[in-house]
Amino acid sequence: GTGSSILSALQDLFWLSKSKVEKQLQIISVLQWVLTFLVMGIACTLILMYILCTDCWAIAALYLAWLVFDWNTPKKGGRRSQWVRNWAIWRYFRDYFPIRLVKTHNLLTTRNYIFGYHPHGIMGLGAFCNFSTEATGVSQKFPGIRPYLATLAGNFRMPILRDYLMSGGICPVNRDSIDYILSKNGSGNAIIIVVGGAAESLNCTPGKNSVTLRNRKGFVRLALRHGADLVPVYSFGENEVYKQVIFEEGSWGRWVQKKFQKHIGFAPCIFHGRGLFSSNTWGLLPYSKPITTVVGEPITIPKIDNPSQKEVDFYHSMYVDSLIKLFDKYKSKFGLPETEVLEVN
């Protein structure tokens, strides 16, 4: 009767409220990462400089002394924290889109690996969630493998930000750091390199599956020098979460972007997602579109101390073919038509 109707209505209200709370937690988790990506480094630097001019200057001085002492840690594998990688906030981050990690082959713990991650997208959200947190179960899916997501070395010169990044297993994408992990850190290491980098981010837009890879061969040379197997990784949906203004080649906008890319290491993009309170307004939050990251079959790479250009070209060609096959095999499973072609630039 009336009593059961009231109880049913209260139950519906309870579950509705729980759903809303979870959605807000998802939004907060993604927002904190977006702000970390965009402003945390600069903000922490300015705050530290301000503290130096206050009565609490000793705190800032102690941190700076620690920074000098700890300066080379990012180049030596960093300082990951399983506690940070397992924060509940990353599960809300995962569920916002949602993000999923798909394993296609086992990885031997007796080998080291270089994962080529494609495409870059605006912020590499799939790369971060899958390999710098445990939200999608990377350690369970690849037991005994330690993932290191490589990013701009300049991030590790920023106070506080450097420590936050290292806690997730993120390392600088430079030769010193990669050489150390692949040669002095044992086996079972996997370095994830977003091969297309800043150049690729300039062309990412919804509905476009394009990678910058034809002339990107440095990661293959590194793999040969260390005998690290190459693993192609494609993230379906990475380009769908933000909309970007694409400047044509030869335009003033593209000229500015390329100058930044050349001298600073990143390219400023003009992009937008959804608003904080409504998906119908513009803002910094990415759109909640599914991102599915597929880890392909490893390519066995021999150890060659000084590989020739011919050898680099051979394994690079093998890698490109493997990436295209991976894309073609899984594209229809994740919402793309069979006629979709991966554009390799």
Side-chain angles (χ1 to χ4, degrees), residues 125-170:
L125 294 163
F128 169 76
C129 184
N130 285 307
F131 301 112
S132 293
T133 80
E134 294 297 331
T136 56
V138 63
S139 293
Q140 287 72 45
K141 291 177 179 176
F142 300 102
I145 302 297
R146 292 180 297 276
Y148 294 86
L149 177 60
T151 188
L152 289 176
N155 289 323
F156 297 89
R157 302 186 188 103
M158 302 285 189
I160 309 300
L161 175 63
R162 67 188 293 276
D163 301 289
Y164 190 36
L165 295 178
M166 282 195 292
S167 68
I170 301 177

Side-chain angles (χ1 to χ4, degrees), residues 135-293:
T136 56
V138 63
S139 293
Q140 287 72 45
K141 291 177 179 176
F142 300 102
I145 302 297
R146 292 180 297 276
Y148 294 86
L149 177 60
T151 188
L152 289 176
N155 289 323
F156 297 89
R157 302 186 188 103
M158 302 285 189
I160 309 300
L161 175 63
R162 67 188 293 276
D163 301 289
Y164 190 36
L165 295 178
M166 282 195 292
S167 68
I170 301 177
C171 68
V173 62
N174 58 31
R175 181 169 171 174
D176 289 344
S177 176
I178 294 172
D179 282 348
Y180 183 90
I181 293 171
L182 295 180
S183 64
K184 300 179 181 178
N185 203 40
S187 60
N189 302 292
I191 297 179
I192 297 88
I193 300 177
V194 186
V195 179
E200 190 172 86
S201 69
L202 297 179
N203 295 313
C204 68
T205 187
K208 186 174 184 179
N209 289 285
S210 171
V211 297
T212 301
L213 182 58
R214 289 291 179 200
N215 297 315
R216 299 294 175 107
K217 300 181 181 181
F219 73 105
V220 178
R221 188 177 296 277
L222 279 170
L224 285 165
R225 288 181 60 245
H226 293 285
D229 294 348
L230 289 171
V231 182
V233 179
Y234 197 85
S235 217
F236 294 90
E238 185 73 63
N239 284 346
E240 308 299 316
V241 296
Y242 279 110
K243 295 178 181 178
Q244 180 182 189
V245 177
I246 304 293
F247 292 102
E248 297 295 330
E249 290 292 338
S251 66
W252 67 269
R254 182 62 64 135
W255 180 84
V256 170
Q257 289 176 323
K258 286 188 172 181
K259 286 296 182 182
F260 266 83
Q261 178 188 336
K262 180 179 179 180
H263 297 292
I264 302 178
F266 74 93
C269 302
I270 299 178
F271 65 92
H272 74 85
R274 52 156 291 182
L276 182 59
F277 302 106
S278 172
S279 59
N280 296 320
T281 58
W282 288 11
L284 289 177
L285 277 177
Y287 294 104
S288 52
K289 304 287 186 178
I291 298 175
T292 305
T293 302

